Amino acid sequence: MLILQNNSTTILRASSSTGGILTVMPYLINIWIGTFLVIMRNIGCIGNIIVFQSSTFRKQAYTVYLFAETISDCFVINLVLLTRVIEKAYGIPVYTTRYEYICKIRQMSSYYFVLTSFTFFTLATLDRILSTQRSNWLRKWSNRVSLAYKMVFACVVIWLLLIGHRFFIYTLVNGKCNPQFVIYDEIDHYIEAIIMEFGPLLIVFTLTYLLRKSLRKVIQRQASIAAIVGKQSRIQQIDSQITLMLMLQSIVAIISFLPYGIEIIYDHVTETYDKSSFHLAIDKIIGQLTHTLLYAFFASSFHISIISSSGFRREIKRILQRKKVYPGQTDIAITATLK
């Protein structure tokens, strides 16, 4: 409690001095935006887990990927962003000698769960893209649930083998969580630039282009089916809405990753420049803003689904209403809903 009071006193004093608003802004960004994203993602985690485990979604391959993405997102928010908010916003020291393992877990998680989450999102998107292809050979690789489980397991193991070393390399050095070897710190900047910035951006731009083409095919196919049959099945409607949802999530990914990538490049390029205190304060505000908004991608999937998919909203409503149904009527109600 004393730490929180001291932190608040520092903010109040800074706000009353010249240029105090520039000093206060990084704290406010982490307090308001960071806390909001933590709350929003945890609500979304609960919602996604409930919906993706329902009978309607459980037998779809893309749901397996999206469910795995949700689990990774929960770890990203609660292990990486939450500790950042606690430290940067509320002034509570996270890294102490007594809890050195927090340093190790956080540094490994900041790469591992971010990369697994993005990988699962990519696989779910590719599954939807393959489902719209004219080639039977390409289409047969979509919606293969058994393959989806194998891919999830493979991704978990592969990224753990590639990233797991960070748990042993990072340790507390003068109260800060840093690698034990200076050369690794230098190499880590380039690794981050490739696999955390430019790589995801290139993949997202490609997926957005392919999803846009796929969405057109889905709309054309829907029009043809509607003209022949008169209406679509519920699963077909949900599939097309999931494709739209993934496209919107790709746009959010671009908004999240692009500013962060640009800021990191700018920071490296201008690292040796002589800057005024005003310039440094602006750089700190932009750095905190882009770094915090990076987590918007990991916090937004459930809420994008709610906005873009009427099938997703109906499924939530059905799950909530199912609790009011008597046990003997449950199977009848579910069958009627699916029809």
Side-chain angles (χ1 to χ4, degrees):
M1 188 66 181
L2 181 60
I3 294 173
L4 289 174
Q5 289 176 347
N6 291 339
N7 191 53
S8 301
T9 303
T10 302
I11 293 176
L12 290 174
R13 286 177 179 174
S15 62
S16 61
S17 62
T18 304
I21 188 64
L22 297 179
T23 307
V24 172
M25 281 300 293
Y27 294 99
L28 296 180
I29 288 170
N30 283 287
I31 288 173
W32 293 108
I33 300 179
T35 305
F36 172 74
L37 290 176
V38 169
I39 295 172
M40 188 171 73
R41 176 66 270 187
N42 280 294
I43 293 172
C45 283
I46 296 171
N48 275 345
I49 289 171
I50 293 173
V51 172
F52 290 148
Q53 286 300 293
S54 66
S55 57
T56 303
F57 284 88
R58 195 181 303 162
K59 296 180 181 180
Q60 304 298 316
Y62 62 80
T63 302
V64 175
Y65 298 127
L66 293 178
F67 181 80
E69 180 196 356
T70 297
I71 301 300
S72 292
D73 287 346
C74 291
F75 282 106
V76 170
I77 295 301
N78 292 300
L79 283 180
V80 184
L81 178 58
L82 182 59
T83 52
R84 175 184 173 82
V85 170
I86 290 172
E87 183 179 35
K88 301 285 186 182
Y90 299 102
I92 302 174
V94 175
Y95 304 128
T96 61
T97 306
R98 184 179 178 184
Y99 301 109
E100 184 178 6
Y101 67 90
I102 295 178
C103 158
K104 295 177 175 293
I105 292 174
R106 188 183 187 278
Q107 287 300 324
M108 190 186 80
S109 300
S110 64
Y111 274 48
Y112 179 72
F113 289 112
V114 166
L115 291 170
T116 54
S117 174
F118 186 78
T119 302
F120 297 142
F121 164 75
T122 302
L123 291 171
T125 305
L126 288 174
D127 180 81
R128 294 296 83 208
I129 292 171
L130 289 172
S131 69
T132 63
Q133 302 304 305
R134 292 184 178 181
S135 170
N136 291 329
W137 186 84
L138 290 174
R139 259 200 327 274
K140 75 176 183 179
W141 290 101
S142 68
N143 201 28
R144 297 178 62 174
V145 178
S146 60
L147 177 63
Y149 281 112
K150 292 175 184 177
M151 291 295 291
V152 168
F153 178 77
C155 290
V156 168
V157 173
I158 290 171
W159 281 123
L160 183 61
L161 293 175
L162 293 175
I163 305 298
H165 66 274
R166 292 174 66 86
F167 182 85
F168 302 99
I169 288 180
Y170 275 82
T171 188
L172 288 176
V173 180
N174 298 324
K176 295 184 178 180
C177 190
N178 291 321
Q180 300 178 49
F181 313 104
V182 178
I183 188 171
Y184 184 86
D185 192 28
E186 297 176 0
I187 296 173
D188 195 43
H189 289 301
Y190 295 101
I191 296 174
E192 181 181 11
I194 294 171
I195 68 174
M196 300 285 283
E197 298 160 22
F198 300 114
L201 275 174
L202 180 61
I203 292 171
V204 167
F205 276 118
T206 304
L207 291 177
T208 304
Y209 171 74
L210 294 174
L211 270 174
R212 187 168 175 269
K213 292 181 65 177
S214 298
L215 194 58
R216 286 182 179 179
K217 294 177 182 178
V218 169
I219 293 172
Q220 292 173 356
R221 188 174 61 188
Q222 287 177 354
S224 301
I225 294 173
I228 298 172
V229 180
K231 64 178 181 179
Q232 294 175 279
S233 70
R234 186 165 177 240
I235 297 298
Q236 288 172 334
Q237 291 176 352
I238 292 175
D239 283 351
S240 62
Q241 290 165 4
I242 288 292
T243 303
L244 175 61
M245 181 270 287
L246 289 170
M247 184 172 178
L248 293 176
Q249 199 172 348
S250 298
I251 295 173
V252 173
I254 293 172
I255 296 172
S256 299
F257 285 106
L258 186 57
Y260 178 68
I262 293 173
E263 193 276 330
I264 291 296
I265 295 173
Y266 168 81
D267 189 50
H268 289 329
V269 171
T270 63
E271 188 175 5
T272 57
Y273 287 15
D274 186 18
K275 301 179 183 179
S276 65
S277 57
F278 176 79
H279 196 167
L280 289 171
I282 294 296
D283 284 354
K284 186 174 181 180
I285 292 172
I286 295 174
Q288 293 295 321
L289 182 62
T290 55
H291 200 155
T292 305
L293 288 178
L294 171 68
Y295 298 98
F297 170 74
F298 306 100
S300 60
S301 62
F302 174 77
H303 308 279
I304 290 175
S305 301
I306 290 287
I307 295 170
S308 62
S309 175
S310 59
F312 197 89
R313 294 193 297 270
R314 282 197 303 269
E315 188 62 23
I316 294 175
K317 184 178 179 181
R318 184 184 72 80
I319 292 170
L320 294 175
Q321 288 178 341
R322 187 174 57 183
K323 296 180 180 180
K324 301 178 181 180
V325 180
Y326 293 105
Q329 298 176 336
T330 302
D331 294 337
I332 300 174
I334 294 175
T335 304
T337 305
L338 289 175
K339 289 181 179 179

